Amino acid sequence: MSIQSADLEPCTGCGGLFLHLDGPTHRYMESSASCWATFGAMNDPSRSIEYVPFSALTVDAYAAQHPGQPSHQTVNSVAIHLMVLFGVLERGYEPEQALWLRTRPGRLGKTLKHDRFHWLTPPSFTSRLTLADVVAGRTPRERSPMIQAWTEDVWAAWAAPHSVQVEAWFERYILSERL
Ligand SMILES: [Zn+2]
């Protein structure tokens, strides 16, 4: 069965082209149903994506490329996932430290939570890699390295306008012991 381009629709978040699908989407990460379903299926053994270190960052790349609309939740989500990408791609943290990076700002407790970050206007993802590119490879060997390339491209899109702000947050909420 060949896929006709007419069957493909762009994701409202990342712009990647996916076969149309009716289904659920995430509560605040805006995407097409098909992009969200593809993300959900990434850990499905039938997908046959080999484990690569950057597999630990798929949730960060996905969240950053589907920022949604400004709200407390999306502000917090985008900021934290961008700090993880910054930590690994700019500061040399290992991908396996992603969980530590992701949860470290939580040690501040709830009191500061809504004042820490602000909304960053999302960059355009036109011509950037998306999840559609990751799953487009014909074999696991073709698909798996795309996870790192995709993650790097998502960060590159954000870094151009916002790396200074993300670095400032990283210094304050990941590294600093004095708050
Ligand atoms: Zn998408």
Side-chain angles (χ1 to χ4, degrees):
M1 188 182 77
S2 69
I3 295 171
Q4 304 296 313
S5 59
D7 297 332
L8 299 171
E9 62 175 10
C11 171
T12 49
C14 65
L17 294 173
F18 297 88
L19 280 173
H20 174 78
L21 178 80
D22 290 316
T25 58
H26 186 265
R27 202 154 39 85
Y28 57 79
M29 290 193 282
E30 275 189 12
S31 73
S32 65
S34 46
C35 183
W36 178 240
T38 302
F39 179 66
M42 278 195 73
N43 293 321
D44 183 336
S46 68
R47 182 113 253 148
S48 296
I49 288 185
E50 293 169 356
Y51 180 81
V52 291
F54 270 72
S55 300
L57 298 181
T58 52
V59 66
D60 304 296
Y62 193 84
Q65 206 167 30
H66 299 83
Q69 302 301 318
S71 71
H72 284 320
Q73 282 175 319
T74 54
V75 162
N76 212 51
S77 167
V78 169
I80 286 174
H81 292 297
L82 288 180
M83 288 192 291
V84 175
L85 297 180
F86 175 85
V88 173
L89 295 171
E90 305 284 355
R91 288 292 175 88
Y93 285 80
E94 296 296 329
E96 65 190 26
Q97 292 174 283
L99 182 61
W100 181 84
L101 291 167
R102 218 175 282 139
T103 52
R104 186 154 166 83
R107 77 195 192 284
L108 301 171
K110 295 223 179 294
T111 43
L112 285 166
K113 204 168 178 185
H114 290 326
D115 299 324
R116 292 179 290 178
F117 309 119
H118 59 260
W119 181 247
L120 302 178
T121 302
S124 166
F125 297 112
T126 303
S127 80
R128 296 290 184 179
L129 295 174
T130 70
L131 193 58
D133 298 297
V134 175
V135 299
R138 287 163 300 169
T139 64
R141 183 149 293 187
E142 281 183 14
R143 287 191 286 268
S144 302
M146 289 301 291
I147 293 175
Q148 180 169 348
W150 167 52
T151 303
E152 290 174 348
D153 213 30
V154 171
W155 169 247
W158 279 98
H162 296 305
S163 65
V164 171
Q165 180 61 71
V166 175
E167 180 171 16
W169 285 338
F170 190 89
E171 298 284 344
R172 180 162 184 195
Y173 297 113
I174 304 280
L175 298 182
S176 176
E177 296 299 335
R178 291 179 299 111
L179 298 162

